[in-house]
Amino acid sequence: MNINRLSLKEIYVLAIVVIFLLLIIYAIFSQQQTGLQRVGGLYLKKLGANPNIRNYVYGIYGMYRFYDTLFELLIFSTAVLGITIFSDLEESRESSSSELIESHVVDASASFLYPIIFLLGLYLAYSAHLGPGGGFAGGVIAGTGVLLLAIAIGADRIGQLFYEQFMKKVEYLILLLVLAIVLCSAVLPIDIYTGNRGTAVIIIANLSMGAKVFIGSWTILHFFVKHRGEI
Amino acid sequence: MILFFLFLLLVLAGAVLIQKRLLNAVILLGVFSLTSSMIYFLVGAPDVAVTEGAIGVAFVTFIYVLALSDQGKLHVVTEEIPPFFYQDKGRIQGIEYEILQQLADQLSLDLEVEFVKHSDLPSQISSRRTEIIAGAFYKEYLPASGLNITLPFHQASLAKIVDTQIENAPIGTLTDLDVTDIKEIDAERISRFNALEDLMSAYNKEKISGFISDSARMSIALNQITTQKRKTSEISQVSDINYTFAIPSSEVELTDKLNELLENLTKTGQLEKILDRYLR
């Protein structure tokens, strides 16, 4: 193979493939305990004492690495804000409903699946401390449920259900609520994550994040449809 | 098992890179995310697997598809002028349609055709979505700035029809037709119309003594002239014109590609075959 003949894109691709292969080989044959596993061990020891949290992954990012989640949430909010601002600069389609492709299969499956998907999103956000899930994942899953409905009946009609300005206000309120919970956990002398009160705080925090991400996903979806035409 | 999915990731990544159609690449990216999600699950990270599944497979795929909904198309704006661009039983056909379909195939795009009226053409030119203007277009038809004219694909003529029984009435044309180079027409005695139907109606009601139009539109118009008027009407050729395509001047690359295609079609004789099929 003549290296001079390779384009920059091909070199990048080749480099990525080689590094990826090396990582696979390293992961298979390495018996050494990584630094991450050692740090994880410390968290697990501490979490064992808290009966409220059965999902250790949630325990780590909910109790010890909450700033990670908070910044993820802020990045997501900034992305949504960016899309909102830049979409306003683009010309919008007057009516997108005429472009909607009608399909009975999509209509029937959407009306059947939408409530199940939405409920699954809600469940994953609600029970993040007990099993796999989380507010972020739950919110996005609920958002994809709405997306499915938007494909079937049109984003304009759903836009009438979720009134845009009201949703924006709710989104900001939720962000404030999450920030307040973080502030309380940092400032108050008591541990707000223990006991029945702790469970309630965890559930409220998770559902708030789920709702925040759900509204954000819907905002992105709605603005794209508004400015680029129906699905 | 994990090893199988890891190698599948590499294969999928390679497949995404070699796709010519962006939509296919996006769908394969969705499959890539689904495989990643499976790997996360197998290595004991179900939380990450759920998030990757929801975002990578559903949400991001959808956003890409929406973003591509304009990008993957070649948006053509045209008047319905048989045999150049027309609909027959819901199917789009015509000389120009066949040429542009070949261009779309070459560029791996879907041809999106929007039929408009003559009066709507100027507003379509300024629209961000318009990429090609077709429908028996010629340089003098819409002398708007900001348009690139491609190579001609068919030579035709500008013709004048006059009712010999009517005197001292103006000559009709469509709104924007450039008649400055036509010596035998007095520019002050020209009456402009927004649509071919209006022009024909005025001619039949004897509000104008005649009208000027290109051969494609003239043949449509002739079908609408009353039998009585046909007896007193005379057609004469005014000048030669060339049917071309018009492309917004910002689309330089597209103009070059279409010119290249037209040149190739002429060289290989394919253009002649298409023209024969529709004009014979």
Side-chain angles (χ1 to χ4, degrees):
Chain A
M1 190 191 293
N2 188 354
I3 195 82
N4 292 328
R5 284 184 189 170
L6 289 176
S7 71
L8 199 61
K9 185 182 161 190
E10 285 167 336
I11 292 170
Y12 277 138
V13 172
L14 205 66
I16 290 167
V17 169
V18 170
I19 292 169
F20 196 83
L21 276 173
L22 287 175
L23 276 174
I24 292 175
I25 294 164
Y26 176 75
I28 294 165
F29 296 106
S30 168
Q31 297 295 319
Q32 205 181 353
Q33 199 182 36
T34 62
L36 273 175
Q37 281 167 323
R38 286 197 298 275
V39 175
L42 288 175
Y43 285 134
L44 294 179
K45 261 185 202 169
K46 284 184 182 177
L47 278 169
N50 191 333
N52 279 348
I53 297 166
R54 270 189 270 154
N55 177 10
Y56 280 16
V57 176
Y58 175 79
I60 292 170
Y61 76 71
M63 296 189 69
Y64 302 108
R65 308 293 299 273
F66 202 78
Y67 283 110
D68 290 10
T69 311
L70 195 67
F71 282 112
E72 273 172 22
L73 208 63
L74 285 176
I75 287 168
F76 189 73
S77 304
T78 314
V80 173
L81 200 68
I83 286 172
T84 314
I85 292 168
F86 282 106
S87 299
D88 281 343
L89 298 177
E90 272 195 33
E91 58 178 296
S92 71
R93 303 270 169 94
E94 279 175 8
S95 172
S96 51
S97 54
S98 58
E99 295 170 29
L100 195 69
I101 299 162
E102 286 186 12
S103 159
H104 294 300
V105 178
V106 175
D107 280 359
S109 55
S111 57
F112 169 70
L113 286 172
Y114 160 68
I116 298 173
I117 295 173
F118 196 82
L119 207 62
L120 178 73
L122 200 66
Y123 171 75
L124 286 178
Y126 171 81
S127 65
H129 58 299
L130 303 174
F136 199 88
V140 176
I141 288 172
T144 53
V146 178
L147 160 77
L148 187 66
L149 204 63
I151 291 171
I153 67 167
D156 276 353
R157 273 180 66 189
I158 297 180
Q160 289 161 5
L161 288 175
F162 299 105
Y163 182 56
E164 208 172 280
Q165 294 303 321
F166 175 71
M167 294 294 264
K168 269 185 192 170
K169 282 175 190 162
V170 173
E171 194 187 356
Y172 295 137
L173 275 176
I174 291 169
L175 192 60
L176 274 177
L177 181 70
V178 176
L179 285 171
I181 291 171
V182 177
L183 198 68
C184 284
S185 67
V187 173
L188 291 179
I190 51 162
D191 186 359
I192 62 165
Y193 287 110
T194 50
N196 286 340
R197 187 187 53 211
T199 313
V201 169
I202 289 168
I203 291 172
I204 290 170
N206 281 336
L207 287 178
S208 305
M209 271 189 288
K212 169 87 184 72
V213 174
F214 168 71
I215 295 171
S217 328
W218 165 245
T219 310
I220 294 174
L221 160 80
H222 191 224
F223 271 92
F224 263 87
V225 171
K226 199 169 157 188
H227 296 276
R228 293 211 167 239
E230 200 54 86
I231 305 145
Chain B
M1 184 63 103
I2 293 172
L3 211 58
F4 167 75
F5 282 116
L6 283 171
F7 280 108
L8 186 63
L9 274 190
L10 273 180
V11 173
L12 283 168
V16 169
L17 284 173
I18 58 167
Q19 289 304 311
K20 277 191 176 174
R21 289 181 79 92
L22 285 172
L23 186 66
N24 293 355
V26 167
I27 291 167
L28 277 174
L29 264 182
V31 182
F32 181 91
S33 285
L34 194 66
T35 315
S36 319
S37 174
M38 187 57 95
I39 291 169
Y40 291 137
F41 180 73
L42 288 174
V43 296
D47 299 74
V48 188
V50 167
T51 313
E52 176 65 37
I55 295 179
V57 182
F59 204 74
V60 171
T61 307
F62 169 75
I63 297 290
Y64 273 134
V65 168
L66 262 187
L68 288 178
S69 59
D70 269 358
Q71 304 297 321
K73 286 174 184 167
L74 185 64
H75 191 77
V76 178
V77 172
T78 178
E79 283 178 74
E80 191 161 359
I81 309 281
F84 292 90
F85 231 127
Y86 64 102
Q87 294 179 85
D88 185 22
K89 293 169 191 165
R91 268 186 64 217
I92 301 172
Q93 294 180 30
I95 298 164
E96 295 178 359
Y97 173 72
E98 291 205 14
I99 295 171
L100 293 179
Q101 187 60 60
Q102 287 200 28
L103 179 72
D105 289 344
Q106 224 175 60
L107 301 174
S108 303
L109 299 170
D110 291 326
L111 194 63
E112 190 184 57
V113 181
E114 188 178 347
F115 287 103
V116 295
K117 288 178 182 168
H118 170 76
S119 51
D120 295 333
L121 264 183
S123 66
Q124 290 293 334
I125 291 171
S126 54
S127 166
R128 185 175 58 88
R129 294 177 72 209
T130 304
E131 287 171 299
I132 297 178
I133 296 161
F137 190 93
Y138 50 101
K139 199 174 63 182
E140 298 81 2
Y141 183 60
L142 202 68
S145 57
L147 283 178
N148 283 339
I149 306 294
T150 65
L151 292 173
F153 60 86
H154 181 57
Q155 198 182 38
S157 56
L158 211 56
K160 184 171 82 169
I161 187 163
V162 179
D163 188 336
T164 48
Q165 303 293 307
I166 302 169
E167 288 175 8
N168 294 325
I171 293 279
T173 67
L174 284 170
T175 330
D176 300 293
L177 185 71
D178 183 8
V179 289
T180 45
D181 288 344
I182 306 170
K183 286 172 190 165
E184 55 189 273
I185 295 166
D186 182 358
E188 286 173 10
R189 291 190 63 238
I190 281 182
S191 188
R192 303 276 184 176
F193 293 86
N194 273 331
L196 196 62
E197 293 78 30
D198 299 344
L199 190 68
M200 287 318 304
S201 164
Y203 184 64
N204 283 331
K205 288 175 185 168
E206 302 193 343
K207 287 180 185 168
I208 49 174
S209 61
F211 61 89
I212 299 166
S213 189
D214 59 283
S215 25
R217 285 170 185 80
M218 187 61 86
S219 53
I220 298 172
L222 286 175
N223 289 328
Q224 295 173 27
I225 295 178
T226 55
T227 327
Q228 189 61 34
K229 288 285 275 184
R230 276 184 200 180
K231 288 175 188 167
T232 55
S233 296
E234 261 181 21
I235 300 179
S236 59
Q237 189 183 339
V238 178
S239 64
D240 288 332
I241 53 161
N242 286 310
Y243 286 136
T244 64
F245 296 99
I247 298 176
S249 47
S250 54
E251 304 273 359
V252 181
E253 203 180 328
L254 187 64
T255 315
D256 292 344
K257 294 264 183 200
L258 187 50
N259 278 337
E260 204 177 295
L261 176 73
L262 287 168
E263 251 179 67
N264 275 340
L265 290 177
T266 313
K267 265 185 205 167
T268 54
Q270 278 189 65
L271 183 63
E272 211 179 319
K273 280 181 192 166
I274 297 172
L275 289 168
D276 273 0
R277 207 161 352 112
Y278 284 94
L279 297 173
R280 193 179 284 164

